[in-house]
Amino acid sequence: HTFQLSLDILNVANLINSDWGVRQVASSAATSPLTLVDHTGPNGAPRFNFTGPDETNVDATGICFLWCLHFVLRYFFN
């Protein structure tokens, strides 16, 4: 019978400094920069307004993008 202990650290850079190892994703304003104004164009065509984003990338939020620490203890039957 044996025991095995292991330790896994994911995203070590973010563990050291919260500004490091941060994933950037496109902001919603960058992926949808047009807003519908009305349908008063020629022959009722829609008119859009371009609202360019202030920031194209934002920090991703969620537990998957933070650092993680896993302790594993295994017991082997022989």
Side-chain angles (χ1 to χ4, degrees), residues 4 15-17 22 26 31 39 45 47-48 61 66 74 78:
Q4 180 183 20
L15 173 64
I16 296 169
N17 185 332
V22 178
T31 58
H39 287 81
R47 290 187 324 139
F48 294 94
T61 57
L66 302 176
R74 293 181 183 173
N78 292 333

Side-chain angles (χ1 to χ4, degrees), residues 9-64:
I9 303 174
L10 307 174
N11 200 357
V12 175
N14 190 254
L15 173 64
I16 296 169
N17 185 332
S18 62
D19 293 331
W20 298 348
V22 178
R23 183 175 176 198
Q24 295 277 310
V25 295
S27 68
S28 60
T31 58
S32 301
L34 298 177
T35 54
L36 178 64
V37 176
D38 54 30
H39 287 81
T40 59
N43 298 325
R47 290 187 324 139
F48 294 94
N49 190 14
F50 178 75
T51 54
D54 294 333
E55 291 184 52
T56 55
N57 293 327
V58 294
D59 292 345
T61 57
I63 193 72
C64 299

